[in-house]
């Protein structure tokens, strides 16, 4: 089940992927109605997707994004999907000891920190430090993703109204 993750994580991951796909579908629909040609829409959409991916926090952690560009991180649906999904995979169930084993969500790894190799770093601490994420923010991230989808739906409704007004 998904590279050795616990089964209980699967429904949550599917929810995050569904909401993210919904957000990108809404962006594509809005652009489809506002663009004059399909070629223009696909060109603009590919630029939007590339910028959203670049500033989501996966390729470039949030702490390393320049101050003038950080707003792209906060409007990218991918940044909230990353914030919701990644830490939840590595959270230990209550009462389970943090032990050093290779595949489990509570395992530890050897990680570089400022050029210094640290032994037995808990995976969740490593992920949170690298990407600047917090496991307890998953619910907030899901809420923001749903709000972004709703805002894009309203934008789609406006685009349809505008298209209908032009036709009349």
């Amino acid at each position: 089940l998904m590279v050795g993750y616990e089964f209980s994580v699967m429904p949550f991951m599917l929810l995050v992927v569904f909401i993210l796909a919904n957000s990108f579908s809404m962006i594509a629909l809005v652009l489809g109605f506002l663009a004059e040609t399909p070629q223009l829409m696909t060109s603009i959409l590919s630029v939007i997707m590339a910028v959203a991916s670049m500033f989501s926090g996966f390729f470039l952690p949030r702490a390393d994004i320049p101050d003038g560009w950080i707003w792209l991180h906060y409007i990218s649906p991918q940044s909230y999907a990353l914030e919701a999904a990644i830490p939840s995979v590595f959270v230990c169930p209550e009462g389970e000891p943090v032990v050093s084993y290779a595949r489990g969500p509570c395992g530890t790894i050897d990680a570089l920190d400022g050029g210094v190799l640290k032994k037995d770093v808990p995976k969740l601490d490593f992920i949170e430090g690298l990407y600047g994420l917090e496991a307890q923010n998953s619910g907030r991230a899901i809420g923001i993703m749903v709000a972004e989808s709703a805002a894009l739906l309203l934008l789609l409704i406006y685009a349809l109204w505008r298209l209908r007004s032009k036709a009349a």
Side-chain angles (χ1 to χ4, degrees), residues 43-57:
S43 299
I44 293 171
L45 186 61
S46 59
V47 169
I48 288 173
M49 296 299 172
V51 170
S53 295
M54 188 182 310
F55 291 101
S56 68

Side-chain angles (χ1 to χ4, degrees), residues 98-117:
V98 176
V99 294
S100 181
Y101 58 96
R103 296 187 61 179
C106 295
T108 60
I109 59 172
D110 297 337
L112 283 175
D113 184 17
V116 177
L117 182 65

Side-chain angles (χ1 to χ4, degrees), residues 4-5 11-12 21 32 35 45 55 63 86 94 96 102 106 108 132 138-142 156 160 162:
Y5 295 137
F12 183 74
L45 186 61
F55 291 101
I86 296 292
E94 280 296 319
E96 184 175 327
C106 295
T108 60
S138 294
R140 179 185 68 91
I142 290 287
L156 174 65
L160 288 171
R162 184 172 168 201

Side-chain angles (χ1 to χ4, degrees), residues 78-101:
Q78 290 170 321
S79 65
Y80 297 106
L82 183 70
E83 186 173 335
I86 296 292
S88 66
V89 173
F90 298 104
V91 172
C92 298
E94 280 296 319
E96 184 175 327
V98 176
V99 294
S100 181
Y101 58 96

Side-chain angles (χ1 to χ4, degrees), residues 49-86:
M49 296 299 172
V51 170
S53 295
M54 188 182 310
F55 291 101
S56 68
F58 184 75
F59 296 110
L60 188 62
R62 180 172 40 201
D64 295 340
I65 298 174
D67 290 339
W69 295 94
I70 196 70
W71 63 273
L72 288 168
H73 172 78
Y74 291 114
I75 66 168
S76 170
Q78 290 170 321
S79 65
Y80 297 106
L82 183 70
E83 186 173 335
I86 296 292

